[in-house]
Amino acid sequence: MSNTVTAPNIPILEVPITAEIESLRPHYTLERKEEVKARIRTLLKEQNAVLVAHYYVDEDLQELAEESGGYVSDSLDMAKFGNEHSAETLVVAGVRFMGETAKILNPEKRVLMPTLEAECSLDLSCPIDDFNAFCDQHPDHVVVVYSNTSIEVKARADYVVTSGIALKLVTWLGEQGKKVLWAPDKHLGRYIERVTGVDMTIWKGACIVHDEFKSRSLGKLADEYPAAAILAHPESPEEILLLADVVGSTTQIINAARDLPHKQFIVATDSGIFYKMRQLVPEKEFIEAPTHGEGATCKSCAHCPWMAMNGLHNLLHVLETGENEIHVDEEIRVKALRSTQRMLDFASAQ
Ligand code: 13P
Ligand code: SF4
């Protein structure tokens, strides 16, 4: 096993501050909120549109997606749902790579997003020119990229995966004796390498939300709650994953919260996930894994600033105006479709 981590310098990122993003949203009265939601439901119906949301977006959007016949899920199931649904318009509440993935798979559909400014630090950490050079240096490796990447990076990759199927796909490649070039999340890459033993060369990106979890403070919290199970998303640092009882995609850790006999859970992922966990098992207690502690510089504090840019106000706006449509270059889309379709095919064969 190589455990080599080589990559060019990662760009310095401008990270918005979640609390500032949230303070900029209009604060509706309950009555106004219901009016806005009702108007959105009407517009979705009139435009033969369906709302597909990630677990990390505002709970109003998650609620609206579910009650309007849309869907709330992890990034893999969002892609599958959009691909299988007959709506002419997909409204994707999440971050840009989720909207782009929907467009890669569904060029005939209109794909709208409440905001086009919702980035992802993993996507931003992997500029296509540097990534191409990285791939060129390792021509004997199979290129596997996380879905949290740009369409150009997907177009260069052999396979796209999400955290829901990354372990299985890399295991399968390892069984064929393949070496894997992995990008962009170093924590997820190292986790897969450790569990599968596959020879991997790993890019150095990180999620600015999960990277903030602190293992020493988590250990102390676990001592305070000895009966709690620890659930972690694999974008978290290795020291966190080593403390976790379950490591998995957002859907996988929600299912663990539902299915495990524990009554308390410490959860190391974006706090947006608590809405679904509490909805599914309201009798259980969910505790946020700590982002404070030694060396804390947290700007996100367990809530992704880019996910927080999605709100009822901008969802209504795009449905009223048709703004924020995702457009992609057709030649690049066709190339990105190859690796992205492989993700869906691999997932459905499991
Ligand atoms: P999931 O695929 O597990 O939903 O993860 C997406 C993501 O961006 C997590 O930070
Ligand atoms: Fe990207 Fe992290 Fe935000 Fe997920 S939580 S969209 S990985 S920055």
Side-chain angles (χ1 to χ4, degrees), residues 54 56 74-75 97-98 146 148 162-163 210 233 235 249-250:
H54 191 266
Y56 295 167
D74 65 4
S75 53
F97 79 83
M98 295 170 176
Y146 199 28
N148 302 39
T162 67
S163 55
H210 292 86
H233 195 280
E235 290 168 14
S249 75
T250 46

Side-chain angles (χ1 to χ4, degrees), residues 288-306:
E288 283 188 30
T291 50
H292 56 271
E294 283 155 45
T297 52
C298 186
K299 287 185 175 176
S300 61
C301 299
H303 188 33
C304 177
W306 294 294

Side-chain angles (χ1 to χ4, degrees), residues 56 95 97 120-122 148 207-210 235 304 306-307:
Y56 295 167
V95 295
F97 79 83
C120 165
S121 63
L122 290 168
N148 302 39
C207 161
I208 49 107
V209 178
H210 292 86
E235 290 168 14
C304 177
W306 294 294
M307 290 283 183

Side-chain angles (χ1 to χ4, degrees), residues 24 29 61 69 110 153 173 234 237 243 263 285 288 305 326:
L24 292 174
T29 60
L61 298 182
R110 183 172 70 138
V153 166
L173 291 172
L243 292 172
K263 298 277 178 275
E285 186 184 358
E288 283 188 30
I326 298 278

Side-chain angles (χ1 to χ4, degrees), residues 101-118:
T101 301
K103 191 66 186 176
I104 292 167
L105 292 164
N106 305 282
E108 73 295 352
K109 292 180 184 164
R110 183 172 70 138
V111 178
L112 301 178
M113 297 192 76
T115 170
L116 296 181
E117 284 172 30

Side-chain angles (χ1 to χ4, degrees), residues 153-183:
V153 166
K154 289 184 174 78
R156 175 68 201 246
D158 298 307
Y159 292 91
V160 173
V161 290
T162 67
S163 55
I165 56 160
L167 263 183
K168 283 189 177 158
L169 187 115
V170 174
T171 301
W172 174 72
L173 291 172
E175 284 163 1
Q176 299 163 56
K178 308 277 191 209
K179 289 192 273 189
V180 169
L181 186 150
W182 168 267

Side-chain angles (χ1 to χ4, degrees), residues 3-285:
N3 206 22
T4 328
V5 179
T6 48
N9 291 329
I10 299 298
I12 310 267
L13 303 180
E14 280 284 324
V15 178
I17 296 172
T18 304
E20 283 178 11
I21 303 286
E22 289 183 330
S23 71
L24 292 174
R25 279 204 213 142
H27 290 284
Y28 296 130
T29 60
L30 269 184
E31 200 184 0
R32 178 68 189 137
K33 191 190 273 191
E34 288 316 312
E35 278 168 19
V36 171
K37 282 180 160 182
R39 177 85 184 119
I40 291 171
R41 280 193 294 268
T42 305
L43 289 169
L44 286 168
K45 210 179 248 176
E46 280 174 10
Q47 298 180 24
N48 189 11
V50 70
L51 178 59
V52 190
H54 191 266
Y55 294 121
Y56 295 167
V57 297
D58 192 272
E59 58 185 62
D60 286 324
L61 298 182
Q62 295 190 44
E63 196 178 80
L64 197 52
E66 289 185 326
E67 61 189 35
S68 64
Y71 196 54
V72 183
S73 197
D74 65 4
S75 53
L76 179 62
D77 279 345
M78 286 172 75
K80 277 201 240 170
F81 180 86
N83 197 34
E84 288 161 12
H85 202 281
S86 60
E88 286 165 35
T89 296
L90 303 175
V91 187
V92 179
V95 295
R96 193 184 52 203
F97 79 83
M98 295 170 176
E100 276 184 3
T101 301
K103 191 66 186 176
I104 292 167
L105 292 164
N106 305 282
E108 73 295 352
K109 292 180 184 164
R110 183 172 70 138
V111 178
L112 301 178
M113 297 192 76
T115 170
L116 296 181
E117 284 172 30
E119 303 281 357
C120 165
S121 63
L122 290 168
D123 181 349
L124 294 174
S125 75
C126 197
I128 184 59
D129 290 346
D130 292 340
F131 182 67
N132 275 332
F134 187 53
C135 296
D136 291 345
Q137 284 161 19
H138 301 92
D140 57 337
H141 285 54
V142 178
V143 179
V144 182
V145 301
Y146 199 28
S147 180
N148 302 39
T149 45
S150 66
I151 186 170
E152 289 83 6
V153 166
K154 289 184 174 78
R156 175 68 201 246
D158 298 307
Y159 292 91
V160 173
V161 290
T162 67
S163 55
I165 56 160
L167 263 183
K168 283 189 177 158
L169 187 115
V170 174
T171 301
W172 174 72
L173 291 172
E175 284 163 1
Q176 299 163 56
K178 308 277 191 209
K179 289 192 273 189
V180 169
L181 186 150
W182 168 267
D185 189 347
K186 62 182 178 187
H187 297 309
L188 178 55
R190 285 182 195 151
Y191 169 70
I192 298 168
E193 185 180 53
R194 179 163 57 81
V195 174
T196 65
V198 171
D199 183 339
M200 293 173 72
T201 299
I202 300 167
W203 190 264
K204 271 189 196 153
C207 161
I208 49 107
V209 178
H210 292 86
D211 211 25
E212 297 285 354
F213 291 117
K214 303 281 182 287
S215 59
R216 197 187 288 222
S217 311
L218 177 58
K220 283 186 195 152
L221 193 63
D223 290 341
E224 277 175 50
Y225 294 91
I230 300 177
L231 309 176
H233 195 280
E235 290 168 14
S236 310
E238 183 171 26
E239 316 81 74
I240 299 290
L241 301 182
L242 290 171
L243 292 172
D245 296 288
V246 175
V247 176
S249 75
T250 46
T251 295
Q252 288 164 345
I253 60 181
I254 287 169
N255 290 345
R258 184 194 56 201
D259 299 338
L260 286 175
H262 301 71
K263 298 277 178 275
Q264 290 176 321
F265 295 89
I266 301 175
V267 184
T269 194
D270 187 288
S271 57
I273 204 165
F274 290 115
Y275 170 71
K276 178 54 73 182
M277 287 179 164
R278 291 184 179 126
Q279 188 189 49
L280 278 181
V281 272
E283 70 285 6
K284 296 193 178 182
E285 186 184 358

